[in-house]
Amino acid sequence: MPLSTSLALISLFVAALGFGLLLRFWLSSRQIRHVAQHREQVPAAFAGTISLASHQKAADYTLAKARLGLLEMALGAAVLLGWTLLGGLSALNQALMQWIGDGMTQQLALLVAFVVLSGAIDLPLSWYQTFVLEQRFGFNKMTLKLWLVDLLKSSLIGALIGLPIAALILWMMAAIGNLWWLWACLFWMGFNVLLLVIYPTLIAPLFNKFAPLEDEILRSRVTALMQRCGFSAKGLFVMDGSKRSAHANAYFTGFGAAKRVVFYDTLLAKLSAPEVDAVLAHELGHFKHKHIIKRIVSMFALSLAGFALLGYLTQQVWFYTGLGVQPNVASANDALVLLLFMLAMPVFSFFIAPLFAQLSRKHEFEADAYAVRQTSAQDLSTALLKLYEDNAATLTPDPLYVRFYYSHPGATERLARMQGGASAAV
Ligand SMILES: [Zn+2]
């Protein structure tokens, strides 16, 4: 029975991985073809506002990213097979077992070794993305030194936060019995809420400087807008995003009275005051429509389902053997099962990703509509166009690719909705 179940899992895993890969390659090739075909001409709706040079830069940037994406996809699938069916994770586990013996130290060492090795495998592509791809299009502002310092800092913070959490979850798995997953899930949710609270004030400042917004005119405009919309914020900040990248952004973060507004310096350099207002109003729209809370609640519901499934799979020998791992006979398999679950889940959850992308695009439309009511469609659309142009986001993505992946609607669709105003709103 376990043998046939494990064969069934192997087949299911390989089929899902293969089908997912085919689907991704097909979607990317559609995107590449579509963008390349529309490269020679600015779409009619933007003919007066976007130059041919900008349009072509956006096309080339999108194509370069899509091609790198193909490489990443192939590499990711090979690495995944290496860890699972080809026996990488099993070998790593055995080697550490011989070296350290069993127990909590070995399990933590397995997690650490896995994270370090996967990180090392991803590193060359991450370097290439920053120093070749982003560099070529003028977006990268990082030096190699800053990149290395960032890497060191995030590894240290990851270890400082991650190791105690991993140890605690492993302890729960061993000590609590059958319902460990429920407690682990509650703990995980609590930790995520804590992270949302401490990230803006404790972690983000380790990477960027946050200076109070000095510009008096902008300050009073933004404050007036927030009052009009019924918000109060602890502070308005400018972040030195230009330290790393020319891409521009703004966000509104935090809970209760601790809310703060953060503008990238790159955003303020590019937008006029009314346009900054419109972008902020869009962010406030996300809060007004409770998108953030909705997202957190749905992530929690998914986590609960995930932990419950994990709780069940921990007990199933076929889950290990079906993914190429020989479970330990005399000692705990908790770290192994956590890693296997993390590796195998995305192969299956990939197929429901479009649902979340669609929900996210719906939320973007709602936030746009809110911003239009509070400021003006004109300011929001010129602001968005500037951001699309500065970030070299293509105006002509493949519609099916958008449906599958895009968390934000394409520019054409978005501006059409805004300009349509109340009459087109549904
Ligand atoms: Zn948004």
Side-chain angles (χ1 to χ4, degrees), residues 282-283 286 364 367 408 414:
H282 169 100
E283 296 303 321
H286 282 306
E364 293 308 320
H408 287 60
R414 223 172 148 180

Side-chain angles (χ1 to χ4, degrees), residues 172-373:
M172 285 178 171
M173 292 174 88
I176 297 185
N178 280 342
L179 277 181
W180 70 265
W181 57 269
L182 190 58
W183 292 100
C185 184
L186 289 174
F187 166 70
W188 178 247
M189 290 172 183
F191 164 70
N192 273 283
V193 170
L194 181 71
L195 200 58
L196 279 170
V197 176
I198 64 167
Y199 185 85
T201 44
L202 291 181
I203 300 181
L206 297 175
F207 292 90
N208 283 98
K209 284 204 177 69
F210 293 82
L213 176 64
E214 301 281 358
D215 186 328
E216 273 309 317
I217 298 169
L218 202 53
R219 270 193 84 86
S220 58
R221 280 193 74 108
V222 165
T223 312
L225 168 71
M226 294 190 60
Q227 269 168 4
R228 204 159 73 230
C229 298
F231 284 94
S232 61
K234 257 264 166 69
L236 310 174
F237 295 92
V238 181
M239 191 191 98
D240 59 347
S242 58
K243 185 173 155 190
R244 292 192 177 78
S245 161
H247 291 300
N249 211 341
Y251 62 89
F252 184 52
T253 175
F255 282 102
K259 290 196 189 74
R260 40 168 58 195
V261 178
V262 175
F263 298 106
Y264 283 35
D265 53 357
T266 39
L267 182 98
L268 297 183
K270 281 160 192 167
L271 301 188
S272 71
E275 288 168 343
V276 171
D277 266 8
V279 169
L280 177 60
H282 169 100
E283 296 303 321
L284 298 178
H286 282 306
F287 264 80
K288 269 284 160 167
H289 284 284
K290 302 202 166 32
H291 293 158
I292 289 96
I293 292 295
K294 282 180 193 164
R295 188 168 302 177
I296 292 171
V297 170
S298 55
M299 289 320 285
F300 280 179
L302 276 180
S303 302
L304 190 62
F307 271 99
L309 181 60
L310 179 60
Y312 165 74
L313 290 172
T314 310
Q315 311 287 338
Q316 315 303 320
V317 175
W318 55 261
F319 180 64
Y320 302 82
T321 50
L323 291 170
V325 168
Q326 215 42 55
N328 306 317
V329 183
S331 52
N333 286 300
D334 300 336
L336 262 183
V337 79
L338 287 178
L339 290 174
L340 270 187
F341 188 73
M342 264 167 26
L343 283 166
M345 261 330 270
V347 171
F348 300 100
S349 62
F350 167 70
F351 297 101
I352 57 165
L355 291 178
F356 291 95
Q358 188 188 11
L359 188 66
S360 168
R361 291 196 305 274
K362 180 173 166 268
H363 288 171
E364 293 308 320
F365 281 133
E366 287 172 1
D368 280 349
Y370 180 82
V372 167
R373 288 197 297 277

Side-chain angles (χ1 to χ4, degrees), residues 13 17 21 24-25 68-84 121-122 125 343 347:
F13 180 66
L17 182 63
L21 268 181
R24 280 193 248 195
F25 273 106
L68 183 66
L70 287 177
L71 184 69
E72 261 170 344
M73 228 181 273
L75 183 74
V79 170
L80 176 61
L81 283 177
W83 280 123
T84 54
I121 294 170
D122 288 341
L125 269 186
L343 283 166
V347 171

